[in-house]
Amino acid sequence: DINDNPPVFVPTDLYSCSITELLPAGQTCLTLRATDADQPGSENARVTFELSPLSPFFAINSTTGVLQTTAALDRAFAASLTVTVVATDHGVPPLQAVRPVTVQVLDANNNRPLFNQSTYRASVAENVLFEAVLQVLATDADLAGTPNAQVSYYMVSGDDEKFRINAASGVITVTGVLDRETVDFYSLVV
């Protein structure tokens, strides 16, 4: 048998996978497969895998084709990465096939919401009900449009008999009768 057939990746279409950021090294992305039409069991048909160029984030098992992370990925560094896998047979001369693999780096919930100011102050007339007192605002640096970046508001402490906060908007509303002669100051923690 002469080495007249190069390896062929199976399937022949594009390879891609997704890995969530900040997971420890050793996450399996996918398993690549390649076949060679030369005589089965011969060196001409034996295929091994490598990355070219080498990647600081990925390694491939030369025999099984399992592509794994070698470091935690960070979406702030790159939302996607591309590695190039080379499948080489062991004929003389060796023949190769090359396949890019695109890795999407998924967002992890690794940022806490931050309020746009550290303290909020407001005044409200006594004896009013269901009046909006103020709106607190926080933002989250996780990927916009994902649940990880969605902010919900709630009162940690304070008078929840007299005030309510809208979980979606951060608007604080008076829900109980306020009497300045009885209590002239309320402290709410959101």
Side-chain angles (χ1 to χ4, degrees):
D1 181 42
I2 62 168
N3 191 25
D4 56 349
N5 294 294
V8 175
F9 282 93
V10 180
T12 57
D13 57 351
L14 299 176
Y15 283 98
S16 65
C17 67
S18 301
I19 303 272
T20 301
E21 70 175 331
L22 307 177
L23 292 177
Q27 303 301 310
T28 296
C29 178
L30 55 83
T31 301
L32 289 97
R33 267 189 11 135
T35 59
D36 192 301
D38 286 309
Q39 182 178 347
S42 71
E43 287 298 293
N44 295 343
R46 185 167 67 96
V47 177
T48 55
F49 301 93
E50 65 181 331
L51 298 180
S52 180
L54 294 177
S55 168
F57 303 108
F58 297 96
I60 192 163
N61 182 298
S62 64
T63 326
T64 65
V66 173
L67 182 66
Q68 291 186 312
T69 59
T70 57
L73 305 179
D74 188 348
R75 193 171 201 296
F77 172 74
S80 71
L81 300 162
T82 300
V83 294
T84 302
V85 177
V86 178
T88 306
D89 67 24
H90 290 260
V92 177
L95 301 176
Q96 296 180 330
V98 177
R99 178 72 63 208
V101 177
T102 302
V103 181
Q104 295 297 112
V105 182
L106 302 177
D107 187 49
N109 192 11
N110 60 322
N111 293 292
R112 65 180 41 207
L114 297 174
F115 284 98
N116 67 344
Q117 59 190 72
S118 59
T119 303
Y120 292 82
R121 295 187 186 279
S123 298
V124 63
E126 64 181 344
N127 296 320
V128 295
L129 282 174
F130 309 113
E131 181 176 307
V133 177
L134 65 88
Q135 181 177 18
V136 296
L137 179 65
T139 56
D140 189 302
D142 285 311
L143 183 62
T146 67
N148 293 340
Q150 186 175 353
V151 176
S152 295
Y153 303 93
Y154 62 95
M155 281 198 289
V156 176
S157 66
D159 195 329
D160 60 2
E161 297 293 320
K162 307 250 186 231
F163 298 94
R164 292 277 188 268
I165 189 165
N166 181 294
S169 68
V171 172
I172 297 174
T173 306
V174 176
T175 57
V177 176
L178 304 178
D179 182 356
R180 188 179 193 289
E181 286 75 36
T182 308
V183 179
D184 65 350
F185 177 83
Y186 293 90
S187 178
L188 309 175
V189 178
V190 176

